[in-house]
Amino acid sequence: MAFMEKPPAGKVLLDDTVPLTAAIEASQSLQSHTITGLSLPLPPKKLIGNMDREFIAERQKGLQNYLNVITTNHILSNCELVKKFLDPNNYSANYTEIALQQVSMFFRSEPKWEVVEPLKDIGWRIRKKYFLMKIKNQPKERLVLSWADLGPDKYLSDKDFQCLIKLLPSCLHPYIFRVTFATANESSALLIRMFNEKGTLKDLIYKAKPKDPFLRKYCNPKKIQGLELQQIKTYGRQILEVLKFLHDKGFPYGHLHASNVVLEGDTCRLLDLENSLLGLPSFYRSYFSQFRKINTLESVDVHCFGHLLYEMTYGRPPDSVPVDSFPPAPSMAVVAVLESTLSCEACKNGMPTVSRLLQMPLFSDVLLTTSEKPQFKIPTKLKEALRIAKECIEKRLTEEQKQIHQHRRLTRAQSHHGSEEERKKRKILARKKSKRSAVENSEEHSAKYSNSNNSAGSGASSPLTSPSSPTPPSTAVEHAPF
């Protein structure tokens, strides 16, 4: 597809953050393999003893557990290999090849840039690819090109989308990593930034090399260690300042995590402002979509900040959210912020504002030394387009949260209804009802039978009837069991 070519009509924009699950329903023997409805690259099995039904059932149970572990791991579940394995129909494309085609088309009209090498799998997104670049007349400088496809939250018109993407290089802020070049078409965007040798905040936390693949760097770290308290305070304050700046500008972000923060000395700079314009789903969407009170992009940013602060403090992400109790931290002031963003109460009742977090003891005494004045002029027309797009993104989130909530209620009801305790209760109630019904029927039958006999045995009380009059049916017969 040419870089300026429109996407195919009716193209479905998938939300790649939606968790996939796999359930093994059956097995079958085929050419000395035992398969379970999945195309697994298993070697041939010996036929001595391994086709026993109990053995196969045990193997299925183990494989199901293996799949459950993968699909509930936040990093693995978003991996392209896992998506392709579980959903080959929707993830069959070669996204690296698509990105190369688009980038090659771009360089036909921009000959000053040159690709040094692809940076394979350094990010977590399936439809976002990176390339190490250089300028031909400045061969020693290294830059990074990122190319990304559209996502399901792209609500801007094509014209407004392209205008806003091209506006990004004009954004100047001490805590935003500057964009060198940006362009877009109706189906994707391409941005170039300077290559940062130190990498991201996540690289610092995990002691990782910036060019290594995402899975290798972060999925199973060898050493888990949080940052020092002063680093937590300084980096946290800088990130909150830039979030407040974007919120005040009406610019939707929603993509805060440790890999989207670059370090330059003791300064944090935010990456990937283009993600919300492209309509890409957030890294933490599967978390905050569970909580109906986290329903604005501002509250999403605050919740994601809680995840980031946890990772800076403990050297790893939380095992699950909400967090019931927090491990010992360098300061109780850290725990206070974590409780306000990740606790059960916070997720149930809603997030504080960025301004409120800035006033908390952990950040209120941090001195910022930068003298750079922020600049980001957005025309009024584009501000209105951003506002409408933001409302649409939030509406989709709210609808998704409603569906999840309804599904949870139904699942709980079904689980409760099908529990052993409930089945016993229903059996006891059914027996009691059956006994009570039998007693009532017996009493009613006896009463009717008695009334009928009394009526037939008393001539004085019987009405006179002519021989031609039909005899009314006996009430005892009317209620007799058939």
Side-chain angles (χ1 to χ4, degrees), residues 190-470:
L190 181 154
L191 289 88
I192 299 176
R193 297 176 172 91
M194 297 300 297
F195 177 68
N196 188 283
E197 297 288 345
K198 290 187 177 180
T200 65
L201 181 55
K202 200 173 185 79
D203 292 328
L204 174 69
I205 296 171
Y206 287 71
K207 310 294 187 292
K209 296 178 181 178
K211 288 185 182 180
D212 284 349
F214 194 86
L215 282 179
R216 186 188 302 170
K217 290 191 290 187
Y218 310 132
C219 194
N220 188 26
K222 295 178 180 179
K223 188 177 181 181
I224 296 174
Q225 184 179 355
L227 304 181
E228 296 178 2
L229 179 59
Q230 192 55 48
Q231 289 176 305
I232 294 171
K233 289 168 66 72
T234 302
Y235 297 161
R237 175 65 187 266
Q238 292 171 350
I239 293 166
L240 288 174
E241 287 289 345
V242 72
L243 289 179
K244 187 176 186 304
F245 171 78
L246 293 173
H247 293 179
D248 291 345
K249 286 286 182 180
F251 191 95
Y253 185 52
H255 294 274
L256 180 63
H257 59 89
S259 291
N260 271 353
V261 180
V262 166
L263 281 175
E264 291 185 334
D266 291 329
T267 302
C268 280
R269 301 187 194 275
L270 212 60
L271 282 172
D272 288 5
L273 266 63
E274 70 272 16
N275 283 358
S276 59
L277 306 180
L278 279 154
L280 303 181
S282 170
F283 181 64
Y284 291 118
R285 187 179 182 90
S286 62
Y287 288 92
F288 59 73
S289 61
Q290 309 294 316
F291 310 112
R292 300 181 75 178
K293 288 290 184 178
I294 307 176
N295 52 19
T296 66
L297 288 184
E298 289 85 0
S299 62
V300 164
D301 282 334
V302 172
H303 181 69
C304 292
F305 179 80
H307 282 263
L308 176 56
L309 182 63
Y310 190 104
E311 206 164 359
M312 286 196 291
T313 304
Y314 302 113
R316 60 180 179 83
D319 294 326
S320 61
V321 176
V323 181
D324 295 324
S325 61
F326 297 91
S331 167
M332 286 306 297
V334 176
V335 176
V337 179
L338 291 172
E339 287 178 340
S340 71
T341 54
L342 296 179
S343 67
C344 294
E345 184 179 355
C347 293
K348 182 180 179 181
N349 297 328
M351 297 291 108
T353 63
V354 169
S355 297
R356 173 71 188 97
L357 292 183
L358 284 167
Q359 294 169 1
M360 296 182 76
L362 183 62
F363 307 116
S364 60
D365 62 349
V366 176
L367 296 176
L368 301 177
T369 57
T370 181
S371 58
E372 185 181 348
K373 186 178 180 181
Q375 295 180 28
F376 193 20
K377 294 182 180 179
I378 304 174
T380 304
K381 184 181 176 183
L382 291 180
K383 278 188 177 181
E384 179 62 15
L386 279 175
R387 185 189 66 79
I388 295 171
K390 177 178 175 292
E391 289 179 355
C392 291
I393 293 171
E394 292 169 349
K395 182 180 178 182
R396 186 175 88 88
L397 174 60
T398 301
E399 290 173 350
E400 183 179 325
Q401 289 170 332
K402 184 179 178 181
Q403 290 174 357
I404 291 172
H405 180 70
Q406 290 173 341
H407 177 72
R408 273 181 173 173
R409 290 183 62 183
L410 179 62
T411 302
R412 282 198 299 266
Q414 289 174 340
S415 177
H416 177 70
H417 192 69
S419 67
E420 187 65 29
E421 185 179 351
E422 279 299 303
R423 284 200 294 269
K424 287 180 180 178
K425 286 182 180 179
R426 288 199 299 273
K427 285 181 180 179
I428 292 170
L429 287 173
R431 284 198 293 267
K432 287 182 178 179
K433 186 177 180 180
S434 178
K435 288 179 180 179
R436 187 167 57 247
S437 178
V439 169
E440 289 175 354
N441 285 341
S442 177
E443 290 176 350
E444 185 178 358
H445 175 79
S446 298
K448 295 287 186 180
Y449 186 77
S450 175
N451 290 340
S452 176
N453 285 342
N454 291 338
S455 176
S458 175
S461 59
S462 297
L464 294 175
T465 57
S466 64
S468 60
S469 300

